[in-house]
Amino acid sequence: MAAIKAKVDQATGAVESFLASAPIGVKASALAAGGAAQGGILGYVMGGLTKDLAKQVANAPQAPGMPPPPQMPFQGTPLQLARNFAVMTGVNAGLHALIKHARGGKDDVQTLMGASFGSGAAFSLVSGLAGPNKLTGAVTMGMSFALIQGLFHQVGKAFGGGGGKEDETEYEATRAMLYSLGLTRYEKNFKKNQLNDQTLALLTDSALKDSKVPPGPRLLILEHVATTDYSVLPEVAA
């Protein structure tokens, strides 16, 4: 298992190293393809489950005078749901990368809601849920997706106990470094282990390893730190 995990970490590091130096168009396309693959698998599995459940509901005896059972959400064959979910998750991943790049690396609720709006609109069109007025239907579902994403983000932020001004300020240089290297997925590792702006100049391989950062990204981070002056950083605003 350790050998397999090491190979997976190496492969992950190689992909992230490539994406870190790739143009934003290539990066967004790669992330969209990965997101579409994950969504396709999820949709196919869900299609099989809902298909079996729909058969059970349809074959269940109905009492006289009772209304027909409600339609199942996300109806369709496994292949249809695989297509719908692939489009939804692929558009979300690609848009997220593009919006984040356009906003200078900001991965906040606005970026998440923008990507969710696009994925919701795309899902409504490909699934046929947009209705006769496709534009209105796409905008409506896009807004619904965005609002739900924004709500989840705020609830998670509230219950997570973080997100204060001081907490965010302590990680500005760290976040910028990870974004420049294409390694923003490890921001949570830095925060969990309190590796903030004041510790950037002190980073070591062992500290990053203890923070569960794979070998490839560790090399990129250490090389960046070695060639950047992090010895003097502005004080955190009160």
Side-chain angles (χ1 to χ4, degrees):
M1 289 297 295
I4 295 176
K5 184 178 184 301
K7 290 183 178 181
V8 171
D9 288 342
Q10 289 178 356
T12 302
V15 172
E16 289 174 342
S17 299
F18 166 74
L19 292 178
S21 58
I24 182 57
V26 175
K27 183 175 182 178
S29 299
L31 292 173
Q38 294 178 11
I41 294 172
L42 175 62
Y44 190 86
V45 172
M46 184 175 291
L49 294 175
T50 56
K51 183 178 179 181
D52 293 339
L53 187 56
K55 286 182 179 179
Q56 295 178 14
V57 172
N59 295 331
Q62 294 292 319
M66 292 295 292
Q71 288 189 341
M72 295 290 296
F74 301 122
Q75 283 188 328
T77 66
L79 287 178
Q80 287 174 331
L81 288 186
R83 175 202 62 194
N84 297 347
F85 276 70
V87 170
M88 178 179 68
T89 55
V91 169
N92 185 281
L95 270 181
H96 184 273
L98 291 172
I99 296 173
K100 183 177 177 180
H101 177 79
R103 301 186 68 230
K106 290 184 178 180
D107 194 7
D108 54 12
V109 65
Q110 286 86 358
T111 297
L112 294 173
M113 290 180 68
S116 295
F117 176 86
S119 65
F123 181 80
S124 72
L125 293 173
V126 73
S127 65
L129 296 176
N133 191 328
K134 296 187 181 302
L135 179 59
T136 301
V139 171
T140 300
M141 185 164 288
M143 292 179 64
S144 300
F145 272 49
L147 290 173
I148 292 172
Q149 178 65 67
L151 178 62
F152 282 164
H153 177 83
Q154 294 303 112
V155 170
K157 188 175 178 181
F159 282 96
K165 180 180 178 182
E166 181 178 357
D167 176 65
E168 291 301 312
T169 306
E170 288 179 349
Y171 291 93
E172 284 184 353
T174 303
R175 187 179 300 107
M177 175 197 68
L178 293 173
Y179 173 72
S180 69
L181 297 174
L183 302 176
T184 53
R185 66 188 303 175
Y186 297 110
E187 183 178 340
K188 62 182 181 297
N189 301 59
F190 275 70
K191 288 187 175 181
K192 182 178 180 180
N193 294 276
Q194 298 181 353
L195 298 177
N196 55 27
D197 295 355
Q198 301 302 319
T199 65
L200 279 177
L202 307 175
L203 282 179
T204 63
D205 183 74
S206 60
L208 293 171
K209 185 176 182 180
D210 290 343
S211 301
K212 310 299 184 185
V213 178
R218 291 206 305 266
L219 292 174
L220 290 174
I221 292 170
L222 292 174
E223 192 276 337
H224 179 87
V225 170
T227 56
T228 306
D229 184 11
Y230 286 118
S231 60
V232 179
L233 288 170
E235 293 293 329
V236 176

